Amino acid sequence: IPLPTVLWYHDKTLMDHGVSGSQTEKHLTFSHTNLTDRGKYTCRAVNEAGVDEKVATLDVYMAPIVLEGPADQTVLVSQTVTFQCIVDGSPKPRIIWRHNGIKLKGAPNVKFMNSGQTMVRHGIQLSHSGQYLCVGRNYHPFPQKDSASAYLTVIALPTVSTDR
């Protein structure tokens, strides 16, 4: 039986890195993985008698990481405030916003855009002052999260009373 030539493919592209061993026995090794490593890996053995191959799928997970958190802001009563929170991870993290520890989902005059990365609050009142926290969370293979916060200061314009 002629010895086979062994080749490794990543998503149908012949690999030349991470492969070690002899011509007839090759091992695929990862010292560090990143998101570009996920996909289908094929080990193909070829000799004069034919071809045999086996395919395996590699999933790569990354805990959430806040790339850009919200910034502290100062606004006047009745203005609109916008906070940004850019979170990366795999699977894609879900973003939850809190104001002074209370979830903002469903709060009046609050909108979320860009998969929750942008939070807009209209009609700001003095009671809206405080800490705004964004939490990026994913659950595979186990619960993981990262967070960042900013402080909102709300200023009311002075009023003059004519009462004595």
Side-chain angles (χ1 to χ4, degrees):
I1 298 178
L3 294 175
T5 297
V6 178
L7 302 169
W8 279 94
Y9 295 84
H10 177 218
D11 291 331
K12 300 183 181 180
T13 300
L14 181 62
M15 296 180 61
D16 58 358
H17 66 279
V19 179
S20 61
S22 67
Q23 181 73 13
T24 59
E25 184 178 315
K26 302 243 177 165
H27 306 277
L28 181 60
T29 307
F30 296 93
S31 56
H32 299 285
T33 57
N34 59 54
L35 295 178
T36 60
D37 292 324
R38 62 181 150 187
K40 294 196 183 301
Y41 287 85
T42 304
C43 176
R44 177 179 279 180
V46 181
N47 69 10
E48 296 162 6
V51 177
D52 191 23
E53 62 183 35
K54 298 293 179 203
V55 177
T57 300
L58 177 66
D59 291 321
V60 177
Y61 302 106
M62 184 175 86
I65 182 168
V66 175
L67 301 176
E68 180 186 329
D72 293 346
Q73 296 185 49
T74 301
V75 298
L76 295 173
V77 167
S78 80
Q79 287 188 320
T80 296
V81 68
T82 301
F83 286 112
Q84 290 274 106
C85 186
I86 310 301
V87 183
D88 195 13
S90 179
K92 183 176 178 156
R94 188 179 64 155
I95 298 174
I96 298 167
W97 286 91
R98 294 179 180 273
H99 171 233
N100 293 332
I102 299 170
K103 283 185 182 178
L104 282 172
K105 184 177 182 182
N109 300 322
V110 175
K111 291 184 183 177
F112 303 100
M113 296 177 282
N114 303 322
S115 301
Q117 294 184 105
T118 303
M119 188 276 296
V120 179
R121 189 164 209 174
H122 300 280
I124 292 294
Q125 301 299 313
L126 288 172
S127 63
H128 297 154
S129 289
Q131 182 192 52
Y132 284 79
L133 177 73
C134 74
V135 179
R137 188 181 298 254
N138 65 17
Y139 293 93
H140 206 298
F142 50 87
Q144 301 177 79
K145 66 181 178 178
D146 192 21
S147 63
S149 66
Y151 197 84
L152 177 65
T153 303
V154 180
I155 300 172
L157 292 174
T159 56
V160 176
S161 174
T162 56
D163 294 340
R164 289 194 179 215

